[in-house]
């Protein structure tokens, strides 16, 4: 009997969640399985994976073959590296302590990379949010200037009123000048 580590789909339409299962290769995709190893949810950002790595390593050592997608998930979680190191221990190439230290080093670097990726994602979101706010401020400022321009009285009627007032003053001056001449 060929045993596979594969994904079994569940969840609703267009919101899939997958169970990582060990199943007979002849069993249907969402049908009978031997053991459930974890859950994979691609709908979150980043995709969330809950996996019992000890069971997965055990099944890999027994000869279970992962599908392509399951293999990439197992590699992402370090199960394939742990299996590789355990095979080295079984063959006598390295000791269990050396294998454990190598795995812990890899796990530490993986944690740092995840933290860096999360920080980068957060910074990108903050930068996008700030850019949207700046664009909104510019639009609001332009709108406020247009409203202020619309609500201010036009400058031309004020100038005509001043010219009329100056004209009346000059007419009054001309009227007074001839009156003074006649008085003389």
């Amino acid at each position: 009997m060929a045993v596979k580590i594969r994904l079994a789909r569940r969840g609703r339409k267009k919101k899939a969640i997958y169970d990582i299962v060990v199943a007979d290769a002849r069993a249907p995709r969402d049908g009978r399985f031997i053991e459930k190893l974890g859950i994979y949810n691609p709908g979150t950002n980043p995709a969330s994976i809950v996996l019992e790595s000890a069971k997965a390593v055990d099944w890999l050592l027994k000869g279970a073959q992962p599908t392509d997608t399951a293999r990439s998930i197992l590699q992402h979680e370090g199960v394939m590296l742990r299996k590789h190191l355990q095979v080295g221990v079984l063959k006598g190439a390295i000791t269990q302590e050396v294998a454990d230290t190598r795995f812990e080093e890899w796990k530490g670097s993986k944690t740092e990379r995840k933290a860096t990726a999360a920080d980068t994602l957060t910074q990108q979101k903050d930068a996008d949010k700030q850019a949207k706010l700046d664009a909104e401020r510019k639009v609001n400022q332009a709108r406020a200037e247009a409203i202020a321009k619309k609500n201010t009285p036009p400058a031309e009627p004020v100038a005509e009123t001043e010219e009329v007032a100056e004209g009346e003053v000059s007419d009054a001056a001309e009227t007074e000048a001839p009156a003074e001449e006649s008085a003389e």
Side-chain angles (χ1 to χ4, degrees):
M1 167 169 95
V3 178
K4 294 249 183 210
I5 297 176
R6 64 181 181 199
L7 302 179
R9 190 182 195 280
R10 64 182 176 95
R12 65 187 183 124
K13 183 177 178 181
K14 296 190 180 186
K15 296 284 186 180
I17 297 175
Y18 298 92
D19 290 328
I20 303 167
V21 297
V22 177
D24 183 7
R26 297 170 292 186
R29 178 191 74 178
D30 301 334
R32 190 181 60 182
F33 59 87
I34 299 169
E35 186 174 7
K36 181 177 172 182
L37 300 177
I39 299 171
Y40 168 61
N41 185 1
T44 60
N45 188 13
S48 60
I49 301 170
V50 177
L51 182 68
E52 295 182 36
S53 58
K55 286 183 181 180
V57 170
D58 185 46
W59 277 104
L60 288 170
L61 290 173
K62 289 178 184 176
Q65 295 296 313
T67 60
D68 293 337
T69 307
R71 181 181 300 277
S72 67
I73 291 170
L74 295 176
Q75 285 176 346
H76 184 267
E77 293 298 306
V79 172
M80 298 302 285
L81 175 64
R82 187 173 234 169
K83 180 231 176 203
H84 174 73
L85 293 171
Q86 194 61 37
V87 168
V89 170
L90 294 175
K91 289 184 177 179
I94 58 174
T95 63
Q96 187 65 44
E97 293 80 27
V98 172
D100 290 341
T101 57
R102 286 184 185 173
F103 182 72
E104 291 301 321
E105 288 173 4
W106 178 85
K107 196 175 185 181
S109 67
K110 179 75 170 182
T111 305
E112 291 173 10
R113 288 187 299 229
K114 280 185 180 179
T116 304
D119 289 343
T120 304
L121 185 62
T122 304
Q123 290 173 353
Q124 182 65 31
K125 284 183 180 180
D126 290 343
D128 290 345
K129 186 176 181 180
Q130 189 63 35
K132 287 179 183 178
L133 287 174
D134 290 341
E136 187 176 343
R137 281 189 194 113
K138 288 180 183 178
V139 169
N140 287 343
Q141 185 179 10
R143 188 177 296 144
E145 289 174 0
I147 291 171
K149 185 177 180 182
K150 180 179 176 183
N151 290 337
T152 56
E156 294 179 20
V158 174
E160 291 176 7
T161 307
E162 291 176 2
E163 290 175 6
V164 171
E166 290 174 5
E168 291 175 2
V169 171
S170 61
D171 289 339
E174 290 175 8
T175 320
E176 292 176 10
E180 290 176 9
E181 289 177 10
S182 56
E184 290 178 16

